[in-house]
Amino acid sequence: MNIFRTKDVSLRQTEMRRHLKLWDLILLGIGAMVGTGIFTITGTAAATLAGPSLVVSIVISALCVSLSALFFAEFASRVPATGGAYSYLYAILGELPAWIAGWLTIMEFMTAVSGVASGWAAYFKGLLSDYGISMPQALNGTFNPEQGTYIDLLPILVLTLVTGLVLLNSKAALRFNSLLVILKFSALALFILVGIWYIKPENWSNFAPFGFGQIYGGSTGIMAGASLMFFGFLGFESISMAVDEIQSPQKNIPRGIVLSLTIVTILYALVTLVLTGIVHYSKLNVDDAVAFSLRSIGIGWAANYVSLVAILTLITVCISMTYALSRMIYSLARDGLLPQSFKQLSKTSRVPKNATILTGVASAIAAGVFPLASIAAFLNICTLAYLILLAYGIIKLRKDKGMPKEGEFKTPLVPLLPILSILICLSFMLQYTKETWIAFGLALLVGLVIYFTYGYRHSTLSEEE
């Protein structure tokens, strides 16, 4: 049994249409990253983990993500293939490590879509409550019989809508996504421009109330905040998963990743500083933190605008990640590691039909049943695990194939930066609770069972052998 057999998956013939330009990729990345992290998680993380020093947590998270982005950029330039880290590792480390990365990517994007849908529902409920409207108790929260809630209906409804949009046509879905991203920027710009006049410096006086925390095994502090805010940057890798539909992928993927990540980091830092400046961090443990802070200073019209835009534009993250996840499942099916039905393309729009439907159904179930905090921690630990594999993969890529050629992206300071990335990812992983680790272990076990009972035997490499 050769579980480390490799496969060159770069620039294979694709049945999809190459129509996406650099601008489309930047908006795809921003659409994926700017969502629940900035509208919801910033408030929770400031209130419970880091206080105003959450801005430092954001910089640390951004540095960690930036390291991984460099690795993605070099892989995308040298091994351009659908499937992101999965395809890169298939060519370098072999089938089993690639499958693990692919499976963890599925877990990441599925739970990310679920988490964003939950954040969207929180904003929608906040807006409805202003008009005295509420959902029936049984349909108004994740499964918790003690509180009389059994399923959260609103996230399920929005994911049904998103799945339908992504099934229509990838170009149309991303054009709609781009319009909503621009609208989202208008709301955040309004928040910054209005909120900056209401900042009270005394709210920053106790800048790091929980301290720096611990590098390994902490539960509060700047490092714990960084491990949670990592959630806010996830989605940049969705760009590399659209390679089959990108014009000049070897040039445009690295540019799209770097530019979108830079824009999002600046935006997160500004919003966090204003947020903790106008409201004391201890009051921010709410699901609609940005709108809540505006209401707390009596600017209801701006709060309602932010809520309305959040309701509309959190959908962009669902679109971006549903789009990326369906392409991930398509890649695995095309290589035989998942059933062939998931690589079927619709006749007119040429999108992976069954993979998109599976993505929508699984994400809707998770959003309707599991609470947002649990979703965010599980998502992060899955992502950090496969980013460790990717960091090792870049070292192996240099060892096996040498330095990048002229015109290809080059990650600086290899192997120093990959080793640093591995240490930071391990530090973040060890900030999570035992329950999160158990969920991660069970998910990994399920993935291994699928590979050894189905994937290994049906892999296209098995057929060739």
Side-chain angles (χ1 to χ4, degrees):
M1 177 178 279
N2 182 13
I3 57 175
F4 296 105
R5 52 196 178 186
T6 60
K7 183 175 188 175
D8 184 5
V9 291
S10 61
L11 288 179
R12 292 179 298 176
Q13 184 65 33
T14 177
E15 299 175 60
M16 296 187 187
R17 295 171 184 152
R18 293 195 181 278
H19 54 77
L20 303 181
K21 299 177 182 177
L22 177 60
W23 182 244
D24 294 309
L25 300 187
I26 293 172
L27 290 175
L28 175 64
I30 293 172
M33 285 185 276
V34 180
T36 304
I38 201 164
F39 283 109
T40 301
I41 300 295
T42 44
T44 304
T48 62
L49 298 177
S53 64
L54 184 67
V55 68
V56 181
S57 302
I58 287 170
V59 172
I60 294 172
S61 282
L63 289 173
C64 176
V65 173
S66 297
L67 292 178
S68 298
L70 291 175
F71 311 150
F72 265 99
E74 180 167 333
F75 267 119
S77 178
R78 301 182 69 182
V79 192
T82 306
Y86 155 74
S87 293
Y88 306 152
L89 297 181
Y90 210 154
I92 301 301
L93 298 184
E95 191 169 85
L96 180 60
W99 164 260
I100 292 172
W103 178 252
L104 292 176
T105 302
I106 289 175
M107 294 295 103
E108 173 202 354
F109 278 84
M110 185 189 73
T111 50
V113 173
S114 304
V116 172
S118 297
W120 173 88
Y123 268 84
F124 193 46
K125 290 171 189 174
L127 190 62
L128 289 177
S129 67
D130 281 351
Y131 297 95
I133 302 171
S134 61
M135 295 284 291
Q137 183 68 10
L139 305 177
N140 198 35
T142 55
F143 187 76
N144 190 342
E146 291 181 2
Q147 295 184 4
T149 58
Y150 294 89
I151 193 166
D152 203 354
L153 183 62
L154 286 177
I156 294 174
L157 294 178
V158 76
L159 287 176
T160 303
L161 170 65
V162 166
T163 304
L165 279 171
V166 176
L167 278 171
L168 284 176
N169 176 280
S170 61
K171 185 72 171 178
L174 293 183
R175 281 282 179 262
F176 180 65
N177 177 71
S178 298
L179 289 172
L180 292 182
V181 168
I182 293 168
L183 190 61
K184 181 168 18 183
F185 266 103
S186 74
L188 294 173
L190 175 67
F191 170 71
I192 293 168
L193 293 173
V194 171
I196 199 168
W197 301 101
Y198 292 87
I199 289 175
K200 298 177 181 177
E202 57 267 28
N203 285 334
W204 294 333
S205 60
N206 189 6
F207 189 70
F210 301 94
F212 184 77
Q214 296 174 257
I215 299 295
Y216 291 95
S219 56
T220 58
I222 290 172
M223 284 303 296
S227 71
L228 184 60
M229 286 311 300
F230 190 78
F231 174 87
F233 290 97
L234 299 181
F236 74 91
E237 65 272 48
S238 62
I239 293 173
S240 65
M241 294 183 195
V243 67
D244 278 345
E245 296 159 278
I246 297 171
Q247 297 174 2
S248 304
Q250 287 169 297
K251 292 181 180 179
N252 284 333
I253 290 177
R255 291 172 183 170
I257 289 173
V258 172
L259 288 172
S260 61
L261 191 58
T262 302
I263 292 168
V264 169
T265 301
I266 295 170
L267 194 60
Y268 267 54
L270 287 174
V271 168
T272 300
L273 282 173
V274 174
L275 186 66
T276 55
I278 61 179
V279 177
H280 194 267
Y281 74 88
S282 61
K283 299 177 182 177
L284 289 172
N285 192 15
V286 293
D287 286 337
D288 55 347
V290 175
F292 168 81
S293 65
L294 289 171
R295 288 192 187 99
S296 70
I297 54 175
I299 310 180
W301 64 269
N304 288 337
Y305 179 73
V306 168
S307 290
L308 183 61
V309 170
I311 288 164
L312 290 172
T313 62
L314 283 177
I315 295 173
T316 65
V317 187
C318 293
I319 291 173
S320 298
M321 293 197 168
T322 299
Y323 175 90
L325 178 52
S326 62
R327 271 62 181 173
M328 178 77 251
I329 295 171
Y330 167 82
S331 299
L332 290 165
R334 187 168 65 175
D335 292 332
L337 300 178
L338 285 176
Q340 296 296 291
S341 60
F342 294 123
K343 75 171 187 177
Q344 289 180 8
L345 301 179
S346 59
K347 292 181 180 179
T348 52
S349 55
R350 311 304 294 168
V351 299
K353 176 178 60 177
N354 293 336
T356 303
I357 292 171
L358 175 65
T359 297
V361 170
S363 300
I365 292 171
V369 176
F370 300 112
L372 179 58
S374 301
I375 288 173
F378 176 73
L379 180 159
N380 285 357
I381 201 169
C382 288
T383 309
L384 290 162
Y386 86 70
L387 290 182
I388 288 174
L389 288 174
L390 189 76
Y392 174 68
I394 205 76
I395 298 173
K396 187 76 161 46
L397 175 67
R398 290 287 183 89
K399 181 181 177 183
D400 293 352
K401 300 194 175 184
M403 298 293 287
K405 299 174 184 175
E406 186 177 349
E408 294 178 338
F409 186 89
K410 178 185 175 184
T411 301
L413 300 175
V414 175
L416 179 62
L417 288 187
I419 292 171
L420 179 61
S421 177
I422 290 170
L423 293 175
I424 294 174
C425 287
L426 283 172
S427 170
F428 283 1
M429 289 177 75
L430 292 172
Q431 306 288 328
Y432 298 118
T433 62
K434 181 175 70 174
E435 289 76 17
T436 301
W437 274 93
I438 290 171
F440 170 69
L442 289 173
L444 198 57
L445 180 62
V446 170
L448 290 173
V449 169
I450 292 173
Y451 174 72
F452 285 110
T453 58
Y454 181 90
Y456 183 83
R457 291 184 295 109
H458 292 86
S459 167
T460 52
L461 288 182
S462 286
E463 293 174 4
E464 291 170 9
E465 291 171 357

